[in-house]
PDB file of all heavy atoms in Angstrom:
ATOM      1  N   GLN A  13       7.276 -64.484 119.281  1.00  0.00           N
ATOM      2  CA  GLN A  13       8.018 -65.281 120.239  1.00  0.00           C
ATOM      3  C   GLN A  13       7.664 -66.756 120.121  1.00  0.00           C
ATOM      4  O   GLN A  13       7.810 -67.512 121.066  1.00  0.00           O
ATOM      5  CB  GLN A  13       7.697 -64.794 121.658  1.00  0.00           C
ATOM      6  CG  GLN A  13       7.942 -63.312 121.853  1.00  0.00           C
ATOM      7  CD  GLN A  13       7.423 -62.852 123.185  1.00  0.00           C
ATOM      8  OE1 GLN A  13       7.046 -63.654 124.024  1.00  0.00           O
ATOM      9  NE2 GLN A  13       7.413 -61.557 123.402  1.00  0.00           N
ATOM     10  N   PRO A  15       8.080 -70.433 119.693  1.00  0.00           N
ATOM     11  CA  PRO A  15       9.204 -71.347 119.634  1.00  0.00           C
ATOM     12  C   PRO A  15       8.935 -72.477 118.676  1.00  0.00           C
ATOM     13  O   PRO A  15       7.804 -72.865 118.456  1.00  0.00           O
ATOM     14  CB  PRO A  15       9.290 -71.862 121.077  1.00  0.00           C
ATOM     15  CG  PRO A  15       7.893 -71.786 121.581  1.00  0.00           C
ATOM     16  CD  PRO A  15       7.245 -70.649 120.871  1.00  0.00           C
ATOM     17  N   GLY A  18       6.912 -75.829 119.822  1.00  0.00           N
ATOM     18  CA  GLY A  18       5.498 -75.890 120.122  1.00  0.00           C
ATOM     19  C   GLY A  18       5.186 -75.285 121.472  1.00  0.00           C
ATOM     20  O   GLY A  18       5.895 -74.413 121.962  1.00  0.00           O
ATOM     21  N   ALA A  19       4.114 -75.750 122.084  1.00  0.00           N
ATOM     22  CA  ALA A  19       3.663 -75.232 123.369  1.00  0.00           C
ATOM     23  C   ALA A  19       3.347 -76.393 124.286  1.00  0.00           C
ATOM     24  O   ALA A  19       3.035 -77.494 123.842  1.00  0.00           O
ATOM     25  CB  ALA A  19       2.441 -74.337 123.182  1.00  0.00           C
ATOM     26  N   ARG A  20       3.414 -76.122 125.581  1.00  0.00           N
ATOM     27  CA  ARG A  20       3.072 -77.132 126.582  1.00  0.00           C
ATOM     28  C   ARG A  20       1.652 -76.902 127.061  1.00  0.00           C
ATOM     29  O   ARG A  20       1.241 -75.760 127.254  1.00  0.00           O
ATOM     30  CB  ARG A  20       4.035 -77.086 127.752  1.00  0.00           C
ATOM     31  CG  ARG A  20       5.456 -77.549 127.421  1.00  0.00           C
ATOM     32  CD  ARG A  20       6.364 -77.361 128.615  1.00  0.00           C
ATOM     33  NE  ARG A  20       6.552 -75.943 128.912  1.00  0.00           N
ATOM     34  CZ  ARG A  20       6.817 -75.471 130.120  1.00  0.00           C
ATOM     35  NH1 ARG A  20       6.888 -76.297 131.152  1.00  0.00           N
ATOM     36  NH2 ARG A  20       6.994 -74.183 130.317  1.00  0.00           N
ATOM     37  N   GLY A  55       6.393 -79.941 122.949  1.00  0.00           N
ATOM     38  CA  GLY A  55       6.518 -78.588 123.490  1.00  0.00           C
ATOM     39  C   GLY A  55       7.216 -78.576 124.829  1.00  0.00           C
ATOM     40  O   GLY A  55       6.655 -78.137 125.837  1.00  0.00           O
ATOM     41  N   GLY A  56       8.431 -79.053 124.897  1.00  0.00           N
ATOM     42  CA  GLY A  56       9.141 -79.113 126.163  1.00  0.00           C
ATOM     43  C   GLY A  56       9.572 -77.755 126.666  1.00  0.00           C
ATOM     44  O   GLY A  56       9.701 -77.528 127.859  1.00  0.00           O
ATOM     45  N   GLY A  57       9.824 -76.796 125.807  1.00  0.00           N
ATOM     46  CA  GLY A  57      10.197 -75.451 126.236  1.00  0.00           C
ATOM     47  C   GLY A  57       9.450 -74.452 125.404  1.00  0.00           C
ATOM     48  O   GLY A  57       8.942 -74.752 124.398  1.00  0.00           O
ATOM     49  N   GLY A  58       9.355 -73.254 125.761  1.00  0.00           N
ATOM     50  CA  GLY A  58       8.585 -72.291 124.998  1.00  0.00           C
ATOM     51  C   GLY A  58       7.303 -71.934 125.715  1.00  0.00           C
ATOM     52  O   GLY A  58       7.198 -71.972 126.925  1.00  0.00           O
ATOM     53  N   ARG A  59       6.294 -71.602 124.949  1.00  0.00           N
ATOM     54  CA  ARG A  59       5.045 -71.134 125.540  1.00  0.00           C
ATOM     55  C   ARG A  59       4.313 -72.259 126.284  1.00  0.00           C
ATOM     56  O   ARG A  59       4.454 -73.434 125.972  1.00  0.00           O
ATOM     57  CB  ARG A  59       4.143 -70.537 124.474  1.00  0.00           C
ATOM     58  CG  ARG A  59       4.667 -69.228 123.929  1.00  0.00           C
ATOM     59  CD  ARG A  59       3.613 -68.484 123.155  1.00  0.00           C
ATOM     60  NE  ARG A  59       3.139 -69.250 121.986  1.00  0.00           N
ATOM     61  CZ  ARG A  59       2.219 -68.793 121.144  1.00  0.00           C
ATOM     62  NH1 ARG A  59       1.696 -67.612 121.342  1.00  0.00           N
ATOM     63  NH2 ARG A  59       1.839 -69.502 120.112  1.00  0.00           N
ATOM     64  N   ARG A  60       3.508 -71.845 127.263  1.00  0.00           N
ATOM     65  CA  ARG A  60       2.735 -72.792 128.074  1.00  0.00           C
ATOM     66  C   ARG A  60       1.281 -72.334 128.092  1.00  0.00           C
ATOM     67  O   ARG A  60       0.984 -71.153 128.247  1.00  0.00           O
ATOM     68  CB  ARG A  60       3.308 -72.863 129.491  1.00  0.00           C
ATOM     69  CG  ARG A  60       2.508 -73.735 130.448  1.00  0.00           C
ATOM     70  CD  ARG A  60       3.306 -73.955 131.735  1.00  0.00           C
ATOM     71  NE  ARG A  60       3.746 -72.691 132.309  1.00  0.00           N
ATOM     72  CZ  ARG A  60       3.044 -72.020 133.218  1.00  0.00           C
ATOM     73  NH1 ARG A  60       1.874 -72.468 133.617  1.00  0.00           N
ATOM     74  NH2 ARG A  60       3.506 -70.884 133.712  1.00  0.00           N
ATOM     75  N   PHE A  79       1.166 -68.346 128.697  1.00  0.00           N
ATOM     76  CA  PHE A  79       2.396 -67.855 129.302  1.00  0.00           C
ATOM     77  C   PHE A  79       3.534 -68.031 128.297  1.00  0.00           C
ATOM     78  O   PHE A  79       3.535 -68.974 127.495  1.00  0.00           O
ATOM     79  CB  PHE A  79       2.726 -68.631 130.580  1.00  0.00           C
ATOM     80  CG  PHE A  79       1.653 -68.549 131.630  1.00  0.00           C
ATOM     81  CD1 PHE A  79       0.600 -69.442 131.627  1.00  0.00           C
ATOM     82  CD2 PHE A  79       1.694 -67.578 132.619  1.00  0.00           C
ATOM     83  CE1 PHE A  79      -0.395 -69.372 132.587  1.00  0.00           C
ATOM     84  CE2 PHE A  79       0.711 -67.499 133.584  1.00  0.00           C
ATOM     85  CZ  PHE A  79      -0.335 -68.400 133.572  1.00  0.00           C
ATOM     86  N   ASP A  80       4.545 -67.111 128.370  1.00  0.00           N
ATOM     87  CA  ASP A  80       5.701 -67.252 127.493  1.00  0.00           C
ATOM     88  C   ASP A  80       6.735 -68.160 128.156  1.00  0.00           C
ATOM     89  O   ASP A  80       6.507 -68.726 129.233  1.00  0.00           O
ATOM     90  CB  ASP A  80       6.295 -65.887 127.142  1.00  0.00           C
ATOM     91  CG  ASP A  80       6.836 -65.149 128.362  1.00  0.00           C
ATOM     92  OD1 ASP A  80       6.918 -65.756 129.460  1.00  0.00           O
ATOM     93  OD2 ASP A  80       7.180 -63.960 128.230  1.00  0.00           O
ATOM     94  N   SER A  81       7.890 -68.301 127.517  1.00  0.00           N
ATOM     95  CA  SER A  81       8.914 -69.227 128.005  1.00  0.00           C
ATOM     96  C   SER A  81       9.506 -68.786 129.336  1.00  0.00           C
ATOM     97  O   SER A  81      10.086 -69.606 130.056  1.00  0.00           O
ATOM     98  CB  SER A  81      10.029 -69.352 126.962  1.00  0.00           C
ATOM     99  OG  SER A  81      10.571 -68.065 126.661  1.00  0.00           O
ATOM    100  N   ASP A  82       9.367 -67.506 129.690  1.00  0.00           N
ATOM    101  CA  ASP A  82       9.867 -67.009 130.978  1.00  0.00           C
ATOM    102  C   ASP A  82       8.799 -67.015 132.064  1.00  0.00           C
ATOM    103  O   ASP A  82       9.045 -66.513 133.160  1.00  0.00           O
ATOM    104  CB  ASP A  82      10.415 -65.586 130.814  1.00  0.00           C
ATOM    105  CG  ASP A  82      11.608 -65.535 129.868  1.00  0.00           C
ATOM    106  OD1 ASP A  82      12.383 -66.520 129.868  1.00  0.00           O
ATOM    107  OD2 ASP A  82      11.750 -64.542 129.140  1.00  0.00           O
TER     108      ASP A  82
END
Side-chain angles (χ1 to χ4, degrees):
Q13 305 172 10
R20 291 175 293 152
R59 290 195 299 181
R60 175 169 53 92
F79 301 87
D80 63 9
S81 56
D82 297 326

